[in-house]
Amino acid sequence: MSSIARAPRSDNRLPRLLDEAARLFRQKGYHAASIRDVAAAVGMLPGSLYYHFASKEDLLVAVYEEGVRQISDAVVVATAGQSDPWRRLEAGCVAHLEALLRLNDYAQVVIRVLPRDVPKARSRLTLLRDAYERLFTDLIAALPLPAGVDRRYLRLMLLGALNWSQNWYHEGKDTPKTIARRFLKLLQVSLRGEE
Amino acid sequence: MSSIARAPRSDNRLPRLLDEAARLFRQKGYHAASIRDVAAAVGMLPGSLYYHFASKEDLLVAVYEEGVRQISDAVVVATAGQSDPWRRLEAGCVAHLEALLRLNDYAQVVIRVLPRDVPKARSRLTLLRDAYERLFTDLIAALPLPAGVDRRYLRLMLLGALNWSQNWYHEGKDTPKTIARRFLKLLQVSLRGEE
Amino acid sequence: MSSIARAPRSDNRLPRLLDEAARLFRQKGYHAASIRDVAAAVGMLPGSLYYHFASKEDLLVAVYEEGVRQISDAVVVATAGQSDPWRRLEAGCVAHLEALLRLNDYAQVVIRVLPRDVPKARSRLTLLRDAYERLFTDLIAALPLPAGVDRRYLRLMLLGALNWSQNWYHEGKDTPKTIARRFLKLLQVSLRGEE
Amino acid sequence: MSSIARAPRSDNRLPRLLDEAARLFRQKGYHAASIRDVAAAVGMLPGSLYYHFASKEDLLVAVYEEGVRQISDAVVVATAGQSDPWRRLEAGCVAHLEALLRLNDYAQVVIRVLPRDVPKARSRLTLLRDAYERLFTDLIAALPLPAGVDRRYLRLMLLGALNWSQNWYHEGKDTPKTIARRFLKLLQVSLRGEE
DNA sequence: TATGAATGAGGGTTCATTCAT
DNA sequence: GATGAATGAACCCTCATTCAT
């Protein structure tokens, strides 16, 4: 009846390894973050890292996978609370941008490290990104839109604008939430007077 | 009166050096393109390059400068032919995107190589980018817009979306011109039916 | 009377381990075949291998031992059927060469991996080789030879030529049997006309 | 008339680099001799070596080339003094073996490092070896031999036996010259009494 | 018998850069 | 303007091996 308490899962350093990799890839980018940096951050020797990952690219892919998982979850959770299509899209964009700009090393890596900069992992990274973007394809598919609006371009424009914000955002000014909402507003209203 | 015409331009290889640097930075990115690669492409030895540039960052900055110059010229020339503010903006976006996606190694470097990826040159690169973006600030300032529209966000959204297209564009489908126009259209019309 | 039959051989993987080690040492050589390679080939982890062998050198020595055992057996069996000394030598050479070139990973390792390439095992490997070569010392001792012929050099020449054939033999042309016979023939006849 | 003495060829360290590489490859074999070893022996940093050679394999090939050159020269010079075909062959074998066993790091590498142990350089090494062996093909072609003697096998046997002597030779006993002569003698006489 | 996780050393190689000539 | 030769640091990675479990 009394069961012996099983030893808690071995004090695995793999999660910390991923955390530090995410942090460094986000901070310095893929090329500038060395395997040594990552290993040192988790208190390992560089070679030890290769017990967990066969190559630096594989480490990146693992971070990407986790990044996509986390940001997907964030978007799914955020949109679940809404039923109105525009509200749902807005919630998704806000979640996306908050992960991207502030909260989440993993998610930031997904946007910051561009597939074309890592040829050996390019296709895998692209697949992961594409899978994620499908969430937005769906959110946009649900929008009631005027005839003739190309939903694909709507997605590309919206996500492009959001993702690019990593290049100009500085903590302290507008919040991610504000940014996302303003971008959406620009799409919702007509900028041409004659309408 | 007739002075002996001195050959005004030595056959120096600096232009080719910049051309090849632009090509390689565009193709591989900053980190993956080595000084060796660039030197080899011009038929120089790596050390010789340092006669022209004090560091790899300086070489990048020189390419950036030329890139900004060329893409600025392209935008200025394109907009010069138009007087209607929206037409002017459209012409600017098309010129921007064509340089970015197809025509111009220098211009592509300006978008492809992100300042944060090159800490030692970051501020210089950012200054150059900002100077260029001012062209769009002006184009957008001239637009007749409904009250309450934040022109700064309009610029950030539009340029963000355009710049990000480097990440998904593939030659053969839509042309840069089409893409630019569709993005603008999305901004011009109201996506919300009720408006 | 009937004792409980103990399963005499556990399903232990040591034989397969040796087999794969032999295969890999033969295929890649000692240095290029890593403990990882061997372990992976048996479906073990590298560390697990150290339950069976204290070091990579010990593993090599074990393969060598088995190699010498097998090639010795082959030679003994082949010569057993012959009584004429020259026939016996020929049978031994053919058996030696067939093991060496075609049939036997273990035997091939004995010739392919040179003692001087593995300093830590050098003396042990040399002892094993020497023990094996004694078979040929005996076969040659039994030959009726003209006076003045140095039997030691005969052995060195014959075995050297045979062993070196690993460096030029390609499956498909002459068979090991043919090669061995031709070498012997060259020794048996006089190449100098005047005799 | 009095010309200004040109600066003696730059005190190039490449020759020393090759010398030390030859020495170490001969001493330890290809795999066990590291780039770091070679560099240290010549007083360079490991990376500096790559100014001269693009890879470790290329360094080996360069040593091989020099080895083949030197041993070829030795054989050519040695045989030049003789006119009798058997004497010429003998002189060639003696020169070959002296280079192989005692005198010449470069030549020893050619025999000690086996092409199959260096897959990336295999074909190049084999070509070099083959070119060298053609000297012996020619020497053997010139021999007056009984009908039916296969000269190719004669070459393979002779060179195999000579080359393999690296595996058993120890300074102090018989000299290379003696060894070469004894091997040849074994071929020249008939070992079969009845012939 | 093995695994999981790591060590410590060292592998070959590439990098941006320097500087005498 | 450029070369030839090298530096020093760092690169990613692989090695044989260890040891608690």
Side-chain angles (χ1 to χ4, degrees):
Chain A
M1 226 136 281
S2 67
S3 66
I4 294 163
R6 293 282 272 89
R9 312 245 297 80
S10 75
D11 67 321
N12 210 327
R13 284 142 100 190
L14 194 147
R16 282 208 41 227
L17 204 174
L18 275 175
D19 283 355
E20 297 298 336
R23 189 175 59 79
L24 285 161
F25 286 153
R26 184 220 62 195
Q27 197 175 98
K28 308 181 156 196
Y30 177 75
H31 285 103
S34 73
I35 285 283
R36 273 165 168 76
D37 290 340
V38 176
V42 28
M44 272 180 172
L45 296 180
S48 306
L49 209 145
Y50 286 81
Y51 174 76
H52 300 281
F53 298 96
S55 69
K56 195 186 176 187
E57 287 91 15
D58 281 9
L59 174 58
L60 174 63
V61 169
V63 169
Y64 241 73
E65 280 168 346
E66 185 60 22
V68 162
R69 195 173 305 131
Q70 293 189 11
I71 195 174
S72 292
D73 287 355
V75 168
V76 167
V77 165
T79 55
Q82 309 289 335
S83 55
D84 173 69
W86 278 104
R87 283 274 152 101
R88 285 174 54 78
L89 179 60
E90 181 187 303
C93 290
V94 168
H96 177 78
L97 212 53
E98 280 175 340
L100 220 75
L101 297 182
R102 280 204 330 207
L103 305 175
N104 193 314
D105 286 338
Y106 290 95
Q108 292 187 49
V109 169
V110 176
I111 303 305
R112 145 125 220 200
V113 177
L114 304 178
R116 64 181 161 182
D117 279 337
V118 192
K120 284 186 192 159
R122 177 168 191 165
S123 61
R124 282 181 289 166
L125 301 183
T126 303
L127 280 176
L128 288 166
R129 282 188 170 212
D130 288 352
Y132 170 65
E133 294 205 1
R134 242 165 270 141
L135 287 184
F136 284 83
T137 307
D138 293 346
L139 289 172
I140 286 171
L143 291 179
L145 289 177
V149 171
D150 185 322
R151 289 167 198 263
R152 179 166 169 267
Y153 272 91
L154 177 52
R155 188 190 82 238
L156 290 170
M157 176 160 208
L158 186 53
L159 282 174
L162 292 172
N163 292 342
W164 190 260
S165 69
Q166 266 196 351
N167 288 301
W168 53 261
Y169 175 78
H170 291 98
E171 193 108 17
K173 306 188 67 170
D174 300 322
T175 64
K177 181 181 289 188
T178 310
I179 296 170
R181 287 182 172 163
R182 297 219 181 164
F183 280 174
L184 270 176
K185 193 66 163 274
L186 284 169
L187 290 168
Q188 291 169 337
V189 306
S190 163
L191 299 184
R192 269 219 144 120
E194 72 264 28
E195 213 157 349
Chain B
M1 221 141 276
S2 70
S3 64
I4 295 169
R6 293 278 272 85
R9 50 161 129 79
S10 71
D11 66 327
N12 82 27
R13 289 138 98 189
L14 196 145
R16 281 208 43 225
L17 205 171
L18 276 175
D19 283 355
E20 298 298 336
R23 189 175 59 79
L24 285 161
F25 286 152
R26 183 219 64 194
Q27 197 176 97
K28 308 181 157 194
Y30 177 75
H31 285 104
S34 71
I35 286 283
R36 267 170 172 69
D37 290 339
V38 176
V42 220
M44 270 178 174
L45 295 182
S48 308
L49 210 144
Y50 285 80
Y51 176 80
H52 301 281
F53 296 95
S55 69
K56 194 187 178 187
E57 288 89 15
D58 282 8
L59 173 57
L60 174 63
V61 169
V63 169
Y64 241 72
E65 281 168 346
E66 184 61 22
V68 163
R69 193 173 306 130
Q70 291 190 12
I71 194 172
S72 293
D73 286 356
V75 169
V76 166
V77 164
T79 54
Q82 308 290 335
S83 57
D84 173 70
W86 279 105
R87 283 275 152 100
R88 285 174 54 78
L89 178 59
E90 180 186 304
C93 290
V94 168
H96 177 78
L97 211 53
E98 279 175 342
L100 219 78
L101 297 182
R102 278 204 330 207
L103 304 174
N104 193 313
D105 287 338
Y106 290 93
Q108 293 185 46
V109 169
V110 175
I111 302 307
R112 146 126 220 199
V113 176
L114 305 176
R116 65 180 159 182
D117 279 338
V118 192
K120 285 185 192 160
R122 174 165 193 168
S123 60
R124 283 181 287 165
L125 302 182
T126 303
L127 280 177
L128 288 165
R129 282 189 170 210
D130 289 352
Y132 170 66
E133 295 204 2
R134 243 165 269 140
L135 287 184
F136 283 85
T137 308
D138 294 346
L139 288 172
I140 286 170
L143 289 179
L145 290 176
V149 170
D150 187 320
R151 290 169 197 263
R152 179 167 168 266
Y153 272 92
L154 176 53
R155 188 189 81 239
L156 291 170
M157 176 160 208
L158 186 53
L159 281 175
L162 291 173
N163 292 343
W164 191 261
S165 69
Q166 266 197 351
N167 288 301
W168 52 262
Y169 175 75
H170 291 100
E171 193 108 19
K173 306 189 66 171
D174 302 321
T175 64
K177 181 182 289 190
T178 309
I179 297 169
R181 286 183 171 161
R182 298 221 180 164
F183 280 175
L184 271 175
K185 192 70 163 273
L186 285 169
L187 291 167
Q188 291 169 338
V189 304
S190 164
L191 299 184
R192 268 217 143 121
E194 73 265 32
E195 222 154 345
Chain C
M1 216 148 278
S2 70
S3 64
I4 294 169
R6 291 279 271 86
R9 49 162 130 80
S10 70
D11 67 327
N12 82 25
R13 288 136 99 188
L14 194 144
R16 283 210 39 227
L17 205 172
L18 276 175
D19 282 355
E20 297 297 336
R23 189 175 60 79
L24 285 161
F25 285 153
R26 184 220 64 195
Q27 197 176 98
K28 309 180 156 196
Y30 177 74
H31 284 102
S34 71
I35 286 283
R36 268 170 171 67
D37 290 339
V38 177
V42 220
M44 270 180 175
L45 296 183
S48 308
L49 210 144
Y50 285 80
Y51 176 81
H52 301 282
F53 297 96
S55 70
K56 193 186 177 187
E57 287 89 15
D58 283 7
L59 174 57
L60 175 63
V61 169
V63 169
Y64 241 72
E65 281 168 346
E66 183 62 22
V68 163
R69 193 173 307 131
Q70 293 189 11
I71 194 173
S72 293
D73 287 356
V75 168
V76 167
V77 165
T79 55
Q82 308 289 336
S83 56
D84 173 68
W86 279 105
R87 283 276 151 99
R88 284 174 56 77
L89 179 58
E90 180 186 303
C93 289
V94 168
H96 178 77
L97 212 54
E98 280 175 341
L100 220 76
L101 297 182
R102 277 205 330 206
L103 305 175
N104 193 312
D105 287 338
Y106 289 94
Q108 292 185 49
V109 169
V110 176
I111 302 306
R112 145 128 220 198
V113 177
L114 304 176
R116 65 181 159 181
D117 279 339
V118 192
K120 285 186 191 160
R122 176 166 191 165
S123 60
R124 283 181 286 165
L125 302 182
T126 303
L127 280 177
L128 288 165
R129 281 187 171 211
D130 289 351
Y132 170 66
E133 294 204 3
R134 243 164 270 141
L135 287 184
F136 282 85
T137 308
D138 294 347
L139 289 171
I140 286 170
L143 290 180
L145 289 177
V149 170
D150 185 323
R151 290 168 196 262
R152 180 167 166 267
Y153 273 91
L154 176 53
R155 188 189 82 239
L156 290 170
M157 177 162 208
L158 186 53
L159 282 174
L162 292 173
N163 292 344
W164 191 261
S165 69
Q166 265 196 352
N167 288 301
W168 52 262
Y169 174 77
H170 292 100
E171 194 108 18
K173 305 189 66 169
D174 301 322
T175 64
K177 181 181 290 189
T178 309
I179 297 169
R181 286 182 172 163
R182 298 220 179 163
F183 280 175
L184 270 176
K185 192 69 164 274
L186 284 169
L187 290 168
Q188 291 170 337
V189 304
S190 164
L191 299 184
R192 269 219 144 120
E194 73 265 30
E195 216 154 349
Chain D
M1 223 131 281
S2 70
S3 64
I4 294 163
R6 292 282 273 88
R9 313 245 296 81
S10 75
D11 68 322
N12 211 326
R13 283 143 100 192
L14 194 146
R16 282 209 38 228
L17 205 172
L18 276 174
D19 284 355
E20 297 298 336
R23 190 175 59 79
L24 285 161
F25 286 153
R26 185 220 62 195
Q27 198 175 98
K28 309 182 156 194
Y30 177 74
H31 285 102
S34 73
I35 285 283
R36 275 165 167 77
D37 290 340
V38 176
V42 28
M44 271 179 173
L45 296 179
S48 305
L49 209 146
Y50 285 80
Y51 176 75
H52 301 282
F53 297 96
S55 68
K56 195 186 179 188
E57 287 91 14
D58 281 9
L59 173 58
L60 174 63
V61 169
V63 169
Y64 241 72
E65 280 168 348
E66 185 60 23
V68 163
R69 196 173 304 132
Q70 293 189 11
I71 195 173
S72 292
D73 286 355
V75 169
V76 166
V77 165
T79 54
Q82 308 289 335
S83 56
D84 172 70
W86 279 105
R87 282 274 153 100
R88 285 173 55 78
L89 179 60
E90 180 186 304
C93 290
V94 168
H96 177 78
L97 212 54
E98 280 176 341
L100 219 77
L101 297 182
R102 278 203 332 205
L103 305 174
N104 192 316
D105 286 338
Y106 290 94
Q108 293 186 48
V109 169
V110 175
I111 303 305
R112 147 125 218 200
V113 177
L114 304 177
R116 65 181 160 182
D117 279 337
V118 192
K120 284 185 191 160
R122 175 166 194 168
S123 61
R124 282 180 289 166
L125 302 183
T126 303
L127 280 177
L128 288 166
R129 283 190 169 209
D130 289 351
Y132 170 66
E133 295 205 1
R134 243 164 270 142
L135 287 183
F136 283 84
T137 308
D138 293 347
L139 288 172
I140 286 169
L143 291 179
L145 290 176
V149 170
D150 186 322
R151 291 167 196 262
R152 179 166 168 266
Y153 272 91
L154 176 52
R155 188 189 83 238
L156 290 170
M157 175 161 210
L158 186 53
L159 282 174
L162 292 172
N163 292 343
W164 191 261
S165 69
Q166 265 197 351
N167 288 302
W168 53 262
Y169 175 77
H170 292 99
E171 194 108 18
K173 307 189 68 171
D174 301 321
T175 64
K177 181 182 289 190
T178 310
I179 296 169
R181 286 183 173 162
R182 298 220 179 163
F183 280 174
L184 269 176
K185 193 69 162 274
L186 284 170
L187 290 168
Q188 290 168 338
V189 305
S190 164
L191 299 185
R192 267 217 144 121
E194 73 266 30
E195 220 154 348

